[in-house]
Amino acid sequence: MSTFDFPPSITSRPTYGTLEPRAGKFHLMIADAEGAEAILRLAEADPSLMGKSHIMYIPGETGDRFTAKLEALAPKQLYVGPSYTAAVPRLRRILQDAHMGLQIYLTGTEGLMGQAMLEATTAGIPHTAIQTEHRGSVARRMQCVHCKGITENVITDPFKCSHCGLNLFVRDHYSRRLAAFQAVCIDAEDPGNVPPSVELYT
């Protein structure tokens, strides 16, 4: 299992549940990496979902470990893409053509779920029609509040901004508008006084 229990935090930090089958005419399932495990469990709980499901899967570092298993579910459609960015045009088209009753299931890393959630809500999908389940990496998608640059897959605190080079403190404050956590300079008042980086949640 690739689950992780996040410690209690501030209210802006997203919380995640467990995917459950829901009634609906069409089901959109978006996952990356170990998120495939949640889809496989969902299909086991209700195999009838697959005939009405479009699965979008980004294998990432897991390679093809889960692809064949997802294919074996025989969903109505299965897209396996190289990255979330590559999948966005397809996702936007699906959301554009969506009808009442669409159910959305997001699972995998926080970066994937946050960005897909932003696309869905921007398209007018209500939060009540979107489920999330975290699986796999605890790496974060961070925005530097100083230069506004986004650094993907941050796993240490503090970390160096990939855009402006500032030493940044990993905060739990999350922006749904940006689908990213917020990071601030850790040595603004005492330049160069930066504590050693430690891995998140160790």
Side-chain angles (χ1 to χ4, degrees):
M1 293 286 284
S2 55
T3 58
F4 180 81
D5 291 325
F6 293 98
S9 184
I10 59 177
T11 55
S12 75
R13 199 206 191 293
T15 56
Y16 310 105
T18 301
L19 301 186
E20 297 179 353
R22 286 185 176 175
K25 292 184 178 180
F26 186 62
H27 303 263
L28 175 60
M29 303 177 184
I30 306 173
D32 65 354
E34 285 88 352
E37 295 174 341
I39 292 179
L40 294 168
R41 184 189 49 74
L42 191 65
E44 184 178 352
D46 186 355
S48 68
L49 289 182
M50 291 300 106
K52 301 177 287 185
S53 294
H54 187 151
I55 298 175
M56 299 180 67
Y57 180 56
I58 315 300
E61 295 179 1
T62 62
D64 292 330
R65 186 154 61 102
F66 295 106
T67 302
K69 292 180 180 179
L70 292 175
E71 290 173 346
L73 298 177
K76 185 173 183 180
Q77 288 184 276
L78 172 63
Y79 165 84
V80 179
S83 67
Y84 173 77
T85 301
V88 167
R90 172 182 286 259
L91 173 57
R92 288 178 178 170
R93 182 58 187 265
I94 293 169
L95 295 172
Q96 176 185 325
D97 296 341
H99 297 286
M100 186 73 71
L102 170 67
Q103 296 295 326
I104 299 180
Y105 308 78
L106 308 178
T107 178
T109 63
E110 293 192 280
L112 171 102
M113 290 190 290
Q115 292 176 88
M117 175 76 77
L118 178 59
E119 290 290 341
T121 54
T122 299
I125 306 298
H127 282 282
T128 53
I130 306 172
Q131 295 186 64
T132 58
E133 179 174 337
H134 177 267
R135 291 287 183 121
S137 172
V138 296
R140 295 186 183 186
R141 185 171 190 262
M142 303 295 305
Q143 185 203 42
C144 172
V145 302
H146 308 283
C147 76
K148 310 305 180 186
I150 299 287
T151 301
E152 302 283 354
N153 300 317
V154 173
I155 60 171
T156 58
D157 180 25
F159 73 99
K160 190 176 289 292
C161 177
S162 60
H163 299 268
C164 67
L166 286 177
N167 296 300
L168 302 176
F169 168 59
V170 173
R171 300 171 64 220
D172 279 354
H173 180 68
Y174 185 80
S175 169
R176 286 177 171 79
R177 181 179 64 84
L178 301 169
F181 289 91
Q182 305 295 284
V184 296
C185 183
I186 199 169
D187 59 339
E189 296 182 2
D190 188 6
N193 184 13
V194 181
S197 289
V198 295
E199 191 169 326
L200 293 175
Y201 302 115
T202 56

